[in-house]
Each structure stands twice: as C-alpha cells, then as structure tokens.
Amino acid sequence: MFLRSTRIPKAPTLWRGLLIVRRGYASATGSHAESIRNIALMAHIDSGKTTLTESILHTSSYLVAPGSVDTGSTTTDFLPAERERGITIQSASIPVKWKDWTFNLIDTPGHVDFGMEVESASRVVDGAVVLLDAVEGVEGQTKGVWRQLDRHSVPTRMIFLNKLDRPGASVHNSISSILNHRLHPNPLVLTLPIASFDSSRYKTGEPGLEGIVDLVNWEVWRWHASRDSTHAPAEKVERVQLPRTEEELKASQIFSADHPIVPELLAARQGMIDNLSILSPELMDAFVELPETPSPYLTLSTQTLVSSLRQLTLDRAILPIVCGAALKHVGTDILMDF
C-alpha cells in the first residue's frame, strides 16, 4: 500500500553476492512491473529480520513450515557461517507473492561489520521495513541503517515493532525512543497489541501477544493461545470487525467490560485520524463532509484513510508503525497488507 514506483538501479553490479532464490509462481507469466516491489528488512542485529522473513514466507504459503535461526534452517541464511553463528552475513533476496503483488524481499545483515551489504541493498529498494525490538527500542545500528536509507533517498519506510510478546516490551517506550533519537517527528501507530483477551492477566503483568487491533480497517485479529509457539496456521487466526458506533462498541462481546484496552480503542482511532487530518487536506475535507453522527471517527471509510496514509508515507510526512511478534507469526499478515 505504501510502496513507491520501482527504482532504477544505478549500476548493473549492485547485486554482487546477493542470493536470488526463485520460485516459478513468483515469476510466472502475467506479472507486471507495476506490481513488483523491492522491499528490504533492516534493523539492528537480533531484532528479528530473518525470523520475520521466515514468517512472511510461511504466511504467503511459500514455505509449508518456517525455519528457525536457532536451528540454522532459515531460507535466506544459507552460508555455513551464517547458520553456525545465527546471524546474517550477506543480503539475500527472495520473491514473495502476496495477493496482487510480488515482493522481492531482501533480508539484510544487522551487524555493523557487514554494513556494505545494507548499503548495496539501499541503492535498489523501493521501500524498507525497519524492525525495532520492542524491549530495546532504537539501537546503534538502527540509526546506522536509517542514515543509509537517507543517503540513498529511500522515502518509503515503515516500522515493525517486533517481540511484543517478551517481558519488558512497550509500545510507548518504543515510540519515545524513535522521537528521542530523531528518526522521525511524526510516528503514527496503525495497530495496537493485545497481550491477552483475559483481562485478569493484565493485573499480574504476564507477557504475551494474543491479538492486534487494526485501527485503519477497524478490526481485531486474534491468534488463539492453543497454537504452538512457532506455527500459526490460518485456521487458528480469527478476524472480527469492530462496531461502527460508540454504543455498540461499549456493548460488544469481543472484550470483557473491564478489559484495559476498551477505553483506549476509540481514543487511538481518533488520535490517528486527527494526526492524519492535520497533514492531509483531502482527509480533512472528507471528514468534515461526513453526515452528522454520534461517532464520525468510526464511520470514516477505510478507503479514504488508506489513500491519505499512502500519500503521506510516500511524502515522508508520517512514519507508520505496526505491531507484532515475528516468531509467533503475529502481525505478519497485517504488515503485508499495508
């Protein structure tokens, strides 16, 4: 949704040392250049880039079962040294088919010693997903890859807030970290994490991530706790549309009445739309022209929001943030939809 038109490489030798893994359906007849994008995953070391790559390949049905960094069975870490040390040493590209799009997904190294691999990838990508560890926030190499993207004028960027299932993970602290390190003045949260649908677990502070609220499409994604820790088959994922009026939202059975996220839902949606409206006159006009209703923030159409989100992202006026836990495949679908 947020990806700009495909860039033209500056030189034909930019992909030196880049693994190209091909599958027939990804390059099948009927693919058009307009629907192909080069997307890089970038981050500080151990933020979960390769794990997210495996999750994307599994979610898109490229892999029946995802590999693991711990066991050295991932698709893009194929060198013996990479599998032995559990780190990415060279960039690797793999085509992924998702709905009407084909992504050339580039898994880049996170260690500063292999920064030239990130530099080469930055020259040819259309956009980048920068991962943040939700416990650590912005780290040294996070700023390093950000400067490389700036150097090669890559405007289209998103943040994937990873590892939200870990103890100490915090959306608030992660956003504060983005602002403190001056990555972007306008980070915009598009999804909210749900640690548990059982409100009693919030009182004990147990870590976890069982669901995500999509503020743009106004729906809840739920990953049932009965799944095992590394596989999330599609039949165990539930999507529920949230009510479009405030009264129905309060009476909804999706969350218990005492769930701590209930009072935050409408406020988060309002904050997102207000921040977008300030920067998008078209969205402001669409909002003002809505029929007078008790819940105008909930009746604004998804298509109108998506159009403004896309343009503002291309203009680097906002920095979209989506939440998830790549190891458990939570939030991968939402990331790929955006």
Side-chain angles (χ1 to χ4, degrees):
M1 180 177 80
F2 300 138
L3 306 181
R4 60 178 175 166
S5 59
T6 304
R7 305 174 71 201
I8 300 175
K10 297 180 181 178
T13 59
L14 294 176
W15 295 106
R16 179 177 56 84
L18 193 64
L19 168 69
I20 305 297
V21 185
R22 298 185 180 276
R23 287 290 176 95
Y25 68 84
S27 58
T29 302
S31 296
H32 301 287
E34 294 80 4
S35 62
I36 299 175
R37 296 291 185 269
N38 300 326
I39 307 298
L41 301 183
M42 299 181 174
H44 186 84
I45 191 170
D46 289 336
S47 295
K49 297 180 300 300
T50 301
T51 301
L52 179 59
T53 300
E54 289 296 305
S55 181
I56 290 174
L57 295 177
H58 175 57
T59 302
S60 63
S61 299
Y62 190 101
L63 296 176
V64 175
S68 168
V69 174
D70 295 334
T71 60
S73 57
T74 59
T75 305
T76 51
D77 283 352
F78 63 96
L79 294 176
E82 291 178 314
R83 298 192 170 188
E84 179 182 350
R85 299 170 63 182
I87 63 172
T88 302
I89 295 177
Q90 70 173 17
S91 296
S93 175
I94 189 166
V96 177
K97 183 73 174 178
W98 182 251
K99 298 183 178 178
D100 297 329
W101 297 88
T102 297
F103 302 114
N104 292 319
L105 193 65
I106 305 172
D107 180 20
T108 64
H111 200 286
V112 65
D113 290 347
F114 311 115
M116 285 307 299
E117 292 288 328
V118 182
E119 190 80 17
S120 297
S122 299
R123 294 174 180 268
V124 295
V125 294
D126 302 304
V129 176
V130 179
L131 284 79
L132 282 190
D133 186 325
V135 179
E136 303 296 339
V138 174
E139 300 175 85
Q141 192 57 11
T142 309
K143 294 186 287 185
V145 299
W146 202 265
R147 288 192 295 268
Q148 288 175 307
L149 292 172
D150 286 339
R151 186 157 51 247
H152 295 287
S153 303
V154 181
T156 312
R157 306 174 200 180
M158 293 182 65
I159 295 289
F160 183 73
L161 200 53
N162 195 25
K163 302 186 179 183
L164 277 165
D165 56 327
R166 291 180 55 197
S170 171
V171 175
H172 179 271
N173 291 344
S174 298
I175 295 175
S176 297
S177 178
I178 292 173
L179 293 172
N180 291 338
H181 290 278
R182 301 182 179 182
L183 292 192
H184 200 284
N186 292 316
L188 187 69
V189 176
L190 304 184
T191 64
L192 296 178
I194 304 171
S196 174
F197 285 86
D198 181 1
S199 59
S200 63
R201 290 186 59 185
Y202 282 82
K203 299 176 182 178
T204 59
E206 296 181 39
L209 186 63
E210 293 185 1
I212 288 179
V213 178
D214 183 344
L215 297 174
V216 178
N217 294 289
W218 199 233
E219 60 184 5
V220 174
W221 291 62
R222 181 172 185 173
W223 285 261
H224 294 283
S226 59
R227 73 190 187 289
D228 71 52
S229 61
T230 58
H231 296 81
E235 61 267 24
K236 293 185 179 180
V237 179
E238 180 184 358
R239 295 175 66 175
V240 180
Q241 193 71 36
L242 286 168
R244 288 286 179 172
T245 66
E246 191 171 349
E247 292 75 14
E248 292 177 350
L249 182 62
K250 292 179 179 178
S252 172
Q253 300 299 314
I254 300 174
F255 302 102
S256 59
D258 62 341
H259 199 287
I261 202 172
V262 173
E264 306 296 334
L265 292 176
L266 185 56
R269 170 94 171 180
Q270 289 176 346
M272 179 189 69
I273 293 175
D274 285 343
N275 288 334
L276 288 173
S277 299
I278 294 173
L279 301 169
S280 173
E282 294 79 13
L283 180 60
M284 177 65 78
D285 292 341
F287 185 73
V288 171
E289 292 172 1
L290 286 174
E292 187 174 347
T293 62
S295 308
Y297 287 95
L298 301 183
T299 56
L300 191 65
S301 70
T302 299
Q303 183 178 0
T304 302
L305 280 174
V306 168
S307 177
S308 296
L309 277 169
R310 183 181 188 279
Q311 188 57 52
L312 291 174
T313 304
L314 291 172
D315 295 339
R316 286 200 66 187
I318 60 171
L319 177 63
I321 301 175
V322 295
C323 303
L327 184 62
K328 295 184 177 180
H329 312 299
V330 176
T332 306
D333 310 66
I334 300 175
L335 173 66
M336 295 174 70
D337 283 343
F338 281 125

